[in-house]
Amino acid sequence: MLWKTLLLLLFYYSVHATVTHKWNRAMLFPAAQRFKRSSAAFLNPVLQNSLEDVVLLYEFLLAELDIDKSQRITIKDEELASLRKAAKFDTICNEIIPKSIPEIRRLSSMLSSYPRVLKKEDFERTVLTMVYTAYRAAQSQGHQKDAWAESFVSLYKALKHDLMFPYSKEPS
C-alpha cells in the first residue's frame, strides 16, 4: 500500500511539474495559445529579442498610437507601421493583450500570485497592457476613469513585484 501511494505521488508530481509549466502562459494570456486563423501556427509572437527591438518598441510607443472605436491599436507613423516588427506589435496589441477591465483584473490577480519571475514575453505583454490601460484611463471620465486607473496601478504593482522578485527572497 505504501509503495502504491508513493508511486501515485511521484506520478502526480511528475505530471504536475510538466503540465503546469506549459499552461502558465496560457493562464496569463489565454489568447497567446490560440491558433491563428490564417495559418496552422500558434499565435505567440515575441517582440523583444534584442536591444534594438526594445528601442524599436519604444519608437512605436513614441510615434503615437491610434486606438479606434473597436479598440484596434495601430501605429500612426506609416514608415514605422510598415516594418516587420510592427506586424508582431499589431498582433500582440490586437489579438493577445486583454482589453476589458474584467480581463485586466484577472491578469493582475494572476500576476500578484505568480510564483516566479515572468518570462520576457509575459513581461512585454503586461507592459503593453499597462500602456493600453493608461491610454484608456486618460480617455475615460468619472467612474470608468477610476476603474481604468485602479487597473493601471494593480498592473504597476505586479510589474514592480516581478522586477523586485529576485531581491525579495530572504537568504537562507
Side-chain angles (χ1 to χ4, degrees):
M1 180 68 174
L2 181 62
W3 285 103
K4 289 181 182 179
T5 307
L6 183 60
L7 278 172
L8 184 63
L9 284 172
L10 260 152
F11 175 73
Y12 174 75
Y13 176 76
S14 172
V15 168
H16 179 71
T18 57
V19 171
T20 53
H21 293 301
K22 291 180 181 177
W23 293 103
N24 276 338
R25 187 178 310 115
M27 290 180 359
L28 290 176
F29 295 93
Q33 296 301 313
R34 289 191 308 216
F35 281 101
K36 193 171 182 178
R37 292 180 192 171
S38 61
S39 73
F42 273 114
L43 182 69
N44 194 17
V46 177
L47 194 61
Q48 300 177 41
N49 291 316
S50 66
L51 183 57
E52 291 81 20
D53 293 343
V54 174
V55 170
L56 189 59
L57 174 62
Y58 186 67
E59 285 183 39
F60 288 160
L61 296 175
L62 281 180
E64 258 188 273
L65 300 176
D66 185 36
I67 301 179
D68 63 15
K69 297 287 184 202
S70 64
Q71 304 311 314
R72 186 127 184 98
I73 301 170
T74 55
I75 301 170
K76 283 187 177 180
D77 185 329
E78 291 180 17
E79 185 179 339
L80 282 175
S82 68
L83 298 173
R84 269 190 210 151
K85 286 288 184 177
K88 285 185 179 183
F89 179 80
D90 182 75
T91 302
I92 292 169
C93 289
N94 293 311
E95 305 293 333
I96 295 177
I97 66 169
K99 295 207 176 127
S100 69
I101 291 175
E103 289 174 336
I104 293 170
R105 285 185 178 158
R106 182 200 58 82
L107 174 62
S108 296
S109 173
M110 295 295 294
L111 288 170
S112 68
S113 61
Y114 203 69
R116 58 186 174 275
V117 176
L118 292 173
K119 293 181 171 106
K120 69 179 178 181
E121 59 267 23
D122 292 333
F123 186 86
E124 168 184 288
R125 293 168 186 162
T126 305
V127 168
L128 290 172
T129 303
M130 207 167 120
V131 168
Y132 175 79
T133 305
Y135 175 83
R136 289 297 304 264
Q139 300 299 318
S140 301
Q141 295 177 349
H143 178 67
Q144 285 290 319
K145 185 177 193 104
D146 294 340
W148 284 109
E150 183 182 309
S151 296
F152 176 84
V153 169
S154 64
L155 286 172
Y156 167 77
K157 287 179 181 177
L159 284 178
K160 182 179 175 189
H161 176 267
D162 182 67
L163 291 171
M164 300 304 289
F165 187 77
Y167 305 107
S168 64
K169 296 240 179 191
E170 294 181 26
S172 38

